[in-house]
Amino acid sequence: MVDQGFRIPTKKSLVVRKVRDVTQKQRERAQAATEYNVFSFPAELLVVDYLSDSGTTAMTDRQWAALMYGDESYGRNTGYFVLLEAFRDIFERGDARRKTVDLILRNERDVDKLMDELLLVDVEGGFVNGGRFQLMRPNAFIVPQGRCAEHLLFTTLRKVLTEHFPGSEYWIPSNGHFDTTEANIHSNDIHPVNLFSGDIFSEFPVEEIRDVNPFKGDMDIRRLVKLIDEKGAESVPLIYLTITNNTAAGQPVSMRNMREVREVADRYGIPLFFDACRFAENAYFIKEFEEGYEGSSIPEIVREMFIHCDGFSISFKKDGLANMGGGLFFKDRGVFHRRFSVDADVGVLLKEMQILSFGNDSYGGLSGRDIMALTIGLYEVVEEDYLRDRIEQVRDMAEKLALNGVPVVLPPGGHAVYVDIDRFFEGTDVRIEDFGGVGLTLELIRRYGIRGCELGPFAFEWDKKTPEERKGILNFVRFAVPRNVYNVEHINYTVAALTELHRNRERIPKVEIVRGKELRLRHFQTGLRPVYS
Ligand SMILES: *Cc1c(COP(=O)(O)O)cnc(C)c1O
């Protein structure tokens, strides 16, 4: 095993925020006042917050510096151009990037050069049309966050389907839909289906987490083919592949699986979309563990990954990119574009929806400052030393917990450690409808000021689902690690707290929902009551 003490440091902190000294009594008061809803608990009163890795990243000095170049113009702000170029660099060009943001950062004075290389460039045929092609056939949409991209995509899709194929039913399979993706699909009367690969819970020896990886985030290809054959290809408007697979414990997806899903998609003429949150972390796993990629650079692996999809939605709040941002992209004149441009160009429909909901296409609900930070972030997250630090920190945490006997999903994924709640409560009388995972999160806040997030029967609404749907629900508490925020002290404190709670798990309360049981995405909204036995 690698001695983790000998990893060469790759960064240092120059801005510091103090953690407040809060007592257990004070936290108890705050819990009661916020109806024991974990999302509603004030962050100011916490010691360590693993609620989400979304938008919680510490920005780098270069991102902060780039903020100063933010252009807040309403039409075609400068950031728009450098951001589109960054998208092309990262998702299409591999090592052959152009990095035209440098023209702005170094204050290029040659106006013709600026126009030729940045401001007036006509590009077509990829994920990010440019110049007049983006006007004629829009295919890249900036939005505030990932779910806005999902909203654009599925409401527009629903409109096209209803107008042209009224009365039919539709299914969208995925290796694991994220909760907002699932909810956006559902609320447009389409059925989301999870096709987890069979072996998420298979045993994995902790000693091997740095040597091999079974890519448990993969999609089950056999079930995918079966679903399409059963429902008919015309009833499957899209196939979705989430990389990394957040719902399946943040597990990576192999390049091989991307290739195989793409082959199925091609065979049936169905567009393959990525939910590309954490594409960079996924690329690092491929480099580390998939045969044939150990010599490839991260940018080249990312390029190859995206060759397989016809479009993607993404939250730029993930992967340590930025604190805010999202996007929706599809291949110019690709499968999606051809299939859903019936009377009108589907890109034009999406753009209308974007303008209606988030603002014109060159800012999409983001400030010019956000756009600059995001542009720089895109280049930083594909740096290998950053990714190594990131993934090793999560791996250290999972390893320490496993060695202390706390049941975690192994090997760990890229952004979070997932405690397996069914095994955590083994030997106690906690049943699935007692929401033991929620009880664990409440007790962690109360005693230690540590916040995790239940992603299981409570969040995925076990009690509202059919027996068939319940099979798609896994039972986890997730500890999502914000990027570049915490150090080894925070990890050790958390490991100690979780270990102590696991040893005393009979003291963890069961949980009842007292308000808002029926609400959609209820984990953000309901009121709860812990029941101590
Ligand atoms: C976070 C996330 C989303 C939604 O993105 P937001 O920016 O939170 O709206 C979608 N899919 C996955 C896999 C995510 O992790």
Side-chain angles (χ1 to χ4, degrees):
M1 199 168 61
V2 182
D3 182 340
Q4 296 308 308
F6 276 86
R7 232 163 32 222
I8 301 171
T10 61
K11 57 184 183 279
K12 54 192 172 185
S13 312
L14 291 174
V15 177
V16 170
R17 176 159 303 163
K18 291 278 286 179
V19 172
R20 215 174 268 289
D21 187 12
V22 181
T23 64
Q24 178 168 325
K25 269 225 140 39
Q26 289 169 323
R27 286 191 296 262
E28 283 169 5
R29 187 184 144 204
Q31 280 189 310
T34 52
E35 299 180 290
Y36 298 92
N37 183 305
V38 167
F39 284 81
S40 306
F41 191 89
E44 186 73 30
L45 305 177
L46 292 169
V47 181
V48 200
D49 194 355
Y50 299 101
L51 182 62
S52 178
D53 62 321
S54 181
T56 55
T57 182
M59 290 207 299
T60 64
D61 49 358
R62 282 163 213 282
Q63 285 182 296
W64 282 108
L67 286 190
M68 298 301 291
Y69 293 84
D71 171 10
E72 308 300 338
S73 306
Y74 196 84
R76 291 298 183 270
N77 69 85
T78 306
Y80 170 74
F81 296 96
V82 297
L83 181 59
L84 292 197
E85 270 291 283
F87 291 149
R88 292 179 198 119
D89 276 350
I90 299 303
F91 299 117
E92 296 178 342
R93 291 182 182 144
D95 287 331
R97 54 172 67 157
R98 296 184 49 214
K99 208 154 183 265
T100 39
V101 65
D102 289 344
L103 293 172
I104 300 303
L105 298 182
R106 69 161 190 256
N107 196 17
E108 174 60 52
R109 305 304 288 258
D110 181 339
V111 173
D112 287 320
K113 188 178 166 75
L114 267 184
M115 292 201 291
D116 292 341
E117 292 182 17
L118 183 65
L119 302 176
L120 303 179
V121 188
D122 289 334
V123 182
E124 62 177 333
F127 290 121
V128 191
N129 283 349
R132 57 203 174 90
F133 295 114
Q134 186 60 241
L135 297 174
M136 285 157 42
R137 292 191 309 277
N139 69 339
F141 309 90
I142 311 166
V143 290
Q145 54 180 106
R147 68 200 65 192
C148 309
E150 294 162 0
H151 167 75
L152 281 187
L153 177 61
F154 297 119
T155 50
T156 304
L157 193 62
R158 180 72 258 177
K159 233 173 97 183
V160 175
L161 293 174
T162 304
E163 275 170 25
H164 298 282
F165 315 92
S168 311
E169 263 194 286
Y170 296 96
W171 285 263
I172 296 183
S174 169
N175 58 331
H177 286 293
F178 184 65
D179 57 2
T180 61
T181 322
E182 179 169 312
N184 268 299
I185 293 173
H186 239 307
S187 68
N188 284 292
D189 283 326
I190 302 173
H191 307 291
V193 185
N194 287 340
L195 305 175
F196 300 116
S197 86
D199 60 356
I200 288 169
F201 288 109
S202 63
E203 293 283 323
F204 189 93
V206 66
E207 313 78 65
E208 290 181 16
I209 57 176
R210 291 185 182 79
D211 303 327
V212 278
N213 193 295
F215 290 95
K216 291 180 174 183
D218 283 355
M219 182 185 274
D220 187 329
I221 302 285
R222 204 180 42 79
R223 283 166 68 206
L224 174 65
V225 172
K226 184 159 168 271
L227 178 92
I228 301 172
D229 283 339
E230 259 173 42
K231 308 294 183 194
E234 68 290 345
S235 301
V236 181
L238 293 176
I239 299 171
Y240 240 84
L241 201 52
T242 310
I243 54 176
T244 57
N245 194 338
N246 192 351
T247 302
Q251 299 288 312
V253 178
S254 64
M255 191 75 88
R256 178 180 152 170
N257 193 245
M258 293 177 203
R259 207 177 300 126
E260 288 171 348
V261 175
R262 176 56 190 263
E263 280 163 16
V264 174
D266 281 351
R267 200 180 326 144
Y268 291 94
I270 302 168
L272 169 60
F273 266 55
F274 284 170
D275 177 340
C277 306
R278 309 183 185 83
F279 68 94
E281 287 166 15
N282 202 100
Y284 186 83
F285 280 101
I286 290 174
K287 181 177 170 74
E288 237 188 336
F289 296 116
E290 194 164 348
E291 212 185 315
Y293 291 95
E294 55 284 8
S296 307
S297 70
I298 297 291
E300 280 299 319
I301 293 173
V302 170
R303 187 184 62 77
E304 187 178 331
M305 284 161 56
F306 281 81
I307 284 174
H308 298 112
C309 70
D310 192 64
F312 58 100
S313 54
I314 185 166
S315 166
F316 295 119
K317 303 172 70 172
K318 315 297 169 60
D319 250 338
L321 272 163
N323 299 123
M324 196 48 80
L328 176 66
F329 304 82
F330 62 82
K331 269 266 164 62
D332 185 28
R333 291 165 297 185
V335 193
F336 174 81
H337 185 235
R338 291 196 305 269
R339 183 162 169 179
F340 297 109
S341 299
V342 187
D343 288 340
D345 186 293
V346 68
V348 172
L349 296 179
L350 283 163
K351 183 163 161 178
E352 281 171 9
M353 190 70 81
Q354 180 192 31
I355 296 168
L356 265 175
S357 319
F358 307 113
N360 89 46
D361 60 340
S362 59
Y363 72 92
L366 297 176
S367 72
R369 292 182 287 273
D370 293 330
I371 290 175
M372 288 307 291
L374 172 52
T375 302
I376 300 302
L378 274 163
Y379 293 101
E380 292 182 338
V381 291
V382 293
E383 286 173 7
E384 198 172 322
D385 59 351
Y386 156 71
L387 285 168
R388 183 183 312 116
D389 257 22
R390 162 73 181 152
I391 284 166
E392 283 295 345
Q393 184 178 43
V394 173
R395 205 169 273 165
D396 285 352
M397 179 167 162
E399 181 177 43
K400 286 171 177 166
L401 285 167
L403 292 174
N404 283 359
V406 180
V408 295
V409 174
L410 292 177
H415 70 291
V417 174
Y418 289 70
V419 173
D420 178 346
I421 293 304
D422 291 338
R423 275 169 60 211
F424 189 96
F425 285 105
E426 233 162 42
T428 71
D429 65 348
V430 174
R431 299 157 308 160
I432 196 139
E433 57 269 40
D434 294 326
F435 303 125
V438 181
L440 171 60
T441 60
L442 292 180
E443 203 59 3
L444 266 175
I445 290 178
R446 185 170 87 94
R447 288 177 183 268
Y448 309 98
I450 298 172
R451 176 157 62 180
C453 178
E454 196 258 11
L455 287 176
F458 173 60
F460 292 105
E461 309 178 342
W462 188 85
D463 43 303
K464 288 197 242 165
K465 295 200 163 161
T466 64
E468 190 53 33
E469 289 171 329
R470 284 177 182 175
K471 288 186 195 155
I473 300 178
L474 306 172
N475 192 3
F476 294 130
V477 167
R478 182 187 72 181
F479 295 85
V481 184
R483 294 164 188 86
N484 289 333
V485 175
Y486 296 133
N487 58 38
V488 71
E489 283 173 35
H490 300 93
I491 301 294
N492 288 348
Y493 175 64
T494 309
V495 169
L498 261 168
T499 304
E500 193 168 89
L501 270 190
H502 181 240
R503 291 192 182 135
N504 299 299
R505 56 190 174 279
E506 69 289 346
R507 285 192 229 146
I508 293 172
K510 295 170 182 166
V511 174
E512 289 171 1
I513 304 175
V514 292
R515 186 184 59 73
K517 199 181 179 91
E518 294 317 311
L519 298 171
R520 218 191 268 279
L521 287 173
R522 68 182 180 193
H523 48 308
F524 294 102
Q525 317 186 51
T526 48
L528 303 171
R529 179 170 53 220
V531 183
Y532 290 88
S533 48

